[in-house]
Structure formats: structure tokens, C-alpha cells
């Protein structure tokens, strides 16, 4: 039985060439989670909407669902975030990481909050002077939404009030002297406080004259995320090697 078509807001998170003229598009949608669809004929020069099915573009898409791949029959541009991103390597790397992270957190059910957080982060990065901080904010907010937020004051293991001076992703964040395990990362309590500010949208209060503090925030945030998703993300690896 053929299921009815539907429209949804979406971000393209990945594309693959398919056949001679088609392209498989992986979409993060607002109300249907991750959707994999085929856009037929979009690689032909006369395609009506192929140019819109690109990274960093928010779309209103028409989809016909099926068991394996939905068919994308139309797409209208809602917002174009690529301006300011594709011209700058760091912004591009951060924006690509945001899309990859959202893909790993999203499921097959609707998650409007994650979709809005993702579009918000892309918009912020467009003209950001500190795109890595914007990426870290997205990671921390997305992990909080997923239930993985790190403890940044109280000990994640025993609840002993902080501040503490060690961080362990496997334990859940900050750890006290008594719960500190092998592999814990020594970190100043002030850095964990700065990390809390980032998680709560106060990136403007992070002192830019201390790049080593920003680097530590990014390292801890990345370690915590990758521990929970149980894999290292290629986009984060590229950014860290830059």
C-alpha cells in the first residue's frame, strides 16, 4: 500500500551519487528525523531543484515515502546558511561537524528541538569570529538534549560539590579527588566554569585572550561527545588537525 506524501523542513546532511543522473540525499528533518531519499535526475544540467539540495541550505521538501528510500519530488529554499561558511575553512569544518553530530544524535522520529538547534548553530557560524566556540556550544546543548550533558561542577560519580579539577568522559564529567580514575584529564576549575558558560549560551563571556582555555573546552567537549556516541567523527578529526 502506497503511503501518502508529506512535506517537511529539512537540512541536507550528506549526498551520494546514484546511477547516471540521480543522487541519494540524507536529510535531517524537523518532524521525521533522519530521512534518506533519492532525487531523480538532479545531476542533469536542466534539473529544476538539484542546485538546492546542498549542504547548509534549509529546505521545504516534498517526499514520497517507501521502504528503503523516499523520493524527493520538490524542494524550496527556506534559508541559505552557506554564505560565510564555504569561504572559510574553520567555519566550513565546524558547520560540517554540526551536521555530522546532528545525524548521530537524531533518530527516525520527529525532533523539532534538535532541528532548531542545528539551524541556529549554522546561522551563528555564518559570521562568527569564534566558530569553534559555536560548535562547542552546539555539542553541549545537543548532548544536554540527548541526556548526556557533562557534570561541570558537582562530581559526576559521587555528587560531591565542586568545583573540581579533573574531567572524565566515562564518569560523566567533572570528578572529585576521591573518584578520579586513571585517564582523567586534569583541568582548572575555572575552565570547567567557562565550559558551563558555553553550554548555557554565554560564549561572549569567554575571554579570547586565553586561547589555551578555549582549546581545552573544545578537547573536553569533543571527548565527552565521542565517548557517548562510541566513535570518532571524521569532521572533528579534520578540525583538530587544522
Amino acid at each position: 500500500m502506497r503511503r501518502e506524501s508529506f512535506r517537511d523542513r529539512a537540512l541536507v546532511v550528506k549526498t551520494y551519487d546514484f546511477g547516471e543522473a540521480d543522487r541519494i540525499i540524507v536529510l535531517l528533518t524537523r518532524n521525521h528525523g533522519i530521512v534518506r531519499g533519492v532525487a531523480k535526475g538532479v545531476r542533469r544540467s536542466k534539473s529544476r531543484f538539484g542546485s538546492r539540495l546542498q549542504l547548509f541550505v534549509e529546505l521545504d521538501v516534498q517526499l514520497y515515502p517507501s521502504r528503503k528510500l523516499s523520493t524527493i519530488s520538490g524542494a524550496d529554499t527556506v534559508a541559505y546558511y552557506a554564505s560565510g561558511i564555504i569561504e572559510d575553512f574553520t567555519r566550513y569544518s565546524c558547520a560540517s561537524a554540526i551536521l555530522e553530530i546532528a545525524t548521530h544524535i537524531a533518530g527516525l522520529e520527529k525532533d523539532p528541538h534538535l532541528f532548531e538547534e542545528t539551524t541556529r548553530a549554522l546561522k551563528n557560524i555564518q559570521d562568527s569570529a569564534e566558530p569553534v566556540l559555536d560548535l562547542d556550544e552546539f555539542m553541549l546543548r545537543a548532548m544536554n538534549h540527548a541526556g548526556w550533558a557533562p557534570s561541570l561542577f558537582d562530581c559526576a560519580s559521587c555528587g560531591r560539590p565542586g568545583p573540581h579539577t579533573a574531567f572524565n568522559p566515562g564518569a560523566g564529567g567533572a570528578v572529585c579527588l576521591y573518584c578520579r580514575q586513571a585517564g582523567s584529564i586534569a583541568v582548572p576549575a575555572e575552565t570547567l566554569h567557562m565550559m558551563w558558560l558555553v553550554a548555557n549560551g554565554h560564549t561572549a563571556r569567554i575571554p579570547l585572550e586565553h586561547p589555551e582555555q578555549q582549546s581545552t573546552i573544545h578537547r573536553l567537549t569533543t571527548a565527552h561527545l565521542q565517548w557517548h556516541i562510541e566513535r570518532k567523527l571524521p569532521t572533528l578529526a579534520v578540525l583538530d588537525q587544522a
Side-chain angles (χ1 to χ4, degrees), residues 185-203:
I185 304 166
V187 56
E190 178 63 16
T191 299
L192 292 179
H193 175 63
M194 292 296 107
M195 199 168 167
W196 181 90
L197 290 175
V198 173
N200 287 276
H202 303 300
T203 55

Side-chain angles (χ1 to χ4, degrees), residues 100-137:
E100 186 176 20
I101 291 162
T103 303
H104 283 284
I105 292 177
L108 300 177
E109 303 296 328
K110 68 177 182 179
D111 192 341
H113 180 83
L114 178 62
F115 182 82
E116 297 300 336
E117 285 289 343
T118 305
T119 56
R120 172 183 177 273
L122 293 177
K123 184 176 181 179
N124 287 345
I125 280 180
Q126 277 188 284
D127 58 357
S128 175
E130 299 293 336
V132 177
L133 273 180
D134 290 304
L135 168 61
D136 293 339
E137 179 184 348

Side-chain angles (χ1 to χ4, degrees), residues 15-93:
T15 66
Y16 308 91
D17 288 345
F18 184 64
E20 294 184 359
D22 303 340
R23 183 166 288 150
I24 293 175
I25 311 292
V26 182
L27 299 167
L28 171 68
T29 68
R30 190 177 192 278
N31 296 309
H32 296 83
I34 295 294
V35 174
R36 289 169 174 81
V38 59
K40 296 182 178 180
V42 296
R43 289 160 57 201
R44 297 192 182 102
S45 59
K46 295 183 180 180
S47 169
R48 292 182 297 109
F49 63 94
S51 61
R52 301 170 195 161
L53 298 173
Q54 304 291 334
L55 298 179
F56 317 129
V57 180
E58 184 178 351
L59 302 165
D60 179 54
V61 293
Q62 178 84 31
L63 296 126
Y64 287 87
S66 63
R67 287 184 179 180
K68 294 183 178 180
L69 288 172
S70 297
T71 298
I72 304 171
S73 60
D76 296 318
T77 300
V78 175
Y80 183 76
Y81 302 115
S83 177
I85 290 177
I86 59 176
E87 302 92 344
D88 182 90
F89 176 79
T90 302
R91 289 178 187 166
Y92 181 87
S93 299

Side-chain angles (χ1 to χ4, degrees), residues 155-215:
C155 176
S157 293
C158 71
R160 186 183 298 272
H164 300 297
T165 56
F167 187 94
N168 189 299
V175 286
C176 68
L177 180 64
Y178 302 100
C179 297
R180 184 170 179 169
Q181 308 167 14
S184 296
I185 304 166
V187 56
E190 178 63 16
T191 299
L192 292 179
H193 175 63
M194 292 296 107
M195 199 168 167
W196 181 90
L197 290 175
V198 173
N200 287 276
H202 303 300
T203 55
R205 295 174 60 183
I206 306 302
L208 302 182
E209 64 271 18
H210 299 298
E212 69 283 353
Q213 192 173 66
Q214 294 181 50
S215 178

